[in-house]
Amino acid sequence: MFSQGHELDRFFSPFGTTAHPLSELFEELFGEAVESRSQVTPRFSLQETPTSFSLTASLPGMSEKDLHIDLHQSILTVSGERNTTPPEGYSVLRRERPTLRFTRSVALPARVDPEKVSATLKNGVLTIQLEKAQEAQRRAIAVKAG
Amino acid sequence: MQPTTQLQNSSKAPLSTSQKLPFVTPPVDVLENDDHILILADLPGVSESDITVQFEQDTLSLEARLTGSGSEPMAGYQRKFHLPRGIDAERISAEVSAGLLQLKVPKSADQKRRSIQVRAG
């Protein structure tokens, strides 16, 4: 049987090492720092278009009831908790998945329309879409010949 | 909790031979009880159609594809496990829910813990 995780460890060095430099976005969202038995803040990524913001976070195994999202003026706050306590009756051979316990606030650089905010949690990824307030949306200005 | 989805042992070709994608090693918890070994892997952004689990010659390998917002795969997760003898490969099962994969590796009958009665001689 597994002996103190040594058999697993032997296979971790030749396999599962990155063969390429990771693309920035991928690294940002999915390259979490893993520390066993410590609390980790998940990676958040904020993107902007001329008309909206979208905030994404990697939260595998998180359920909606453990997640709280709050928007106050231009400050978006996401907090939540995901435990990794082993279920009853199991002995632990290896623990790498971190407990997630976090509160992250983001000051959005433009006003948003609070009526046009949506949040979805799919496959453990949280995506919050916020539409900018009308006056904050970037629009091209037509140049007329004088 | 969201509903879970059953995963069949797949015979799809491994990602690494068909496409060169950057990949990441997902963190795992490995637990065991008398009946089986349980491997939990964090695979955020992945649904069951993106995951390939294969078992060959004592090695359990896991690959998953991340597609991001489009349909083009952006990157992948990959990890291999050397499993001990005494497991029932035919009954390995895999289930994914909310980006968390659970692999259950049953121990074969002769490996399960049994109590042996001591008789007075």
Side-chain angles (χ1 to χ4, degrees):
Chain A
M1 301 307 286
F2 292 108
S3 49
Q4 275 115 23
H6 289 167
E7 285 196 77
L8 279 179
D9 285 343
R10 178 156 52 88
F11 273 71
F12 287 163
S13 33
F15 300 119
T17 53
T18 52
H20 302 250
L22 295 173
S23 70
E24 255 179 45
L25 175 65
F26 178 70
E27 171 65 43
E28 212 163 88
L29 274 177
F30 303 105
E32 289 178 48
V34 176
E35 300 160 44
S36 56
R37 282 184 294 285
S38 68
Q39 291 171 32
V40 162
T41 299
R43 301 265 187 141
F44 281 76
S45 167
L46 180 67
Q47 294 179 308
E48 181 175 3
T49 71
T51 55
S52 69
F53 291 109
S54 94
L55 182 75
T56 38
S58 242
L59 306 171
M62 172 88 69
S63 64
E64 292 87 352
K65 65 173 175 57
D66 294 323
L67 192 58
H68 305 281
I69 301 170
D70 182 81
L71 177 65
H72 182 65
Q73 299 182 342
S74 291
I75 301 185
L76 178 65
T77 302
V78 183
S79 61
E81 191 167 313
R82 185 225 41 194
N83 288 309
T84 56
T85 326
E88 279 288 309
Y90 284 96
S91 61
V92 175
L93 298 176
R94 191 170 189 97
R95 278 281 291 276
E96 291 172 0
R97 294 165 61 234
T99 296
L100 301 177
R101 192 166 296 138
F102 60 93
T103 302
R104 285 290 292 272
S105 286
V106 176
L108 299 167
R111 298 256 303 267
V112 294
D113 184 343
E115 302 296 310
K116 300 205 179 132
V117 180
S118 70
T120 49
L121 185 58
K122 184 181 173 197
N123 295 328
V125 176
L126 172 67
T127 305
I128 305 176
Q129 285 285 134
L130 308 109
E131 195 152 310
K132 291 181 180 176
Q134 269 301 312
E135 70 272 13
Q137 294 194 14
R138 184 163 12 163
R139 46 176 64 84
I141 315 272
V143 179
K144 286 203 265 270
Chain B
M1 281 291 284
Q2 297 171 9
T4 55
T5 331
Q6 282 294 343
L7 223 182
Q8 301 296 323
N9 268 342
S10 167
S11 55
K12 287 185 278 195
L15 267 183
S16 50
T17 58
S18 56
Q19 281 169 296
K20 298 280 187 202
L21 289 174
F23 59 89
V24 145
T25 304
V28 299
D29 290 346
V30 182
L31 314 170
E32 75 170 329
N33 63 18
D34 289 344
D35 181 69
H36 58 266
I37 296 167
L38 183 63
I39 300 173
L40 304 170
D42 279 347
L43 305 176
V46 160
S47 63
E48 100 277 9
S49 56
D50 305 315
I51 305 176
T52 303
V53 178
Q54 292 180 320
F55 180 73
E56 193 178 354
Q57 294 187 332
D58 297 334
T59 299
L60 182 66
S61 64
L62 158 66
E63 291 195 38
R65 192 193 300 259
L66 272 172
T67 49
S69 48
S71 54
E72 268 307 300
M74 281 166 41
Y77 294 108
Q78 204 179 83
R79 193 139 183 191
K80 292 183 200 248
F81 306 91
H82 179 64
L83 295 182
R85 297 287 163 76
I87 57 109
D88 189 348
E90 297 295 309
R91 292 195 302 123
I92 296 176
S93 69
E95 227 175 76
V96 67
S97 167
L100 170 61
L101 174 69
Q102 299 198 37
L103 292 166
K104 198 185 275 193
V105 180
K107 297 180 181 177
S108 54
D110 60 355
Q111 285 296 317
K112 291 188 190 183
R113 197 208 306 249
R114 56 169 61 83
S115 293
I116 297 165
Q117 193 162 49
V118 180
R119 281 198 270 266

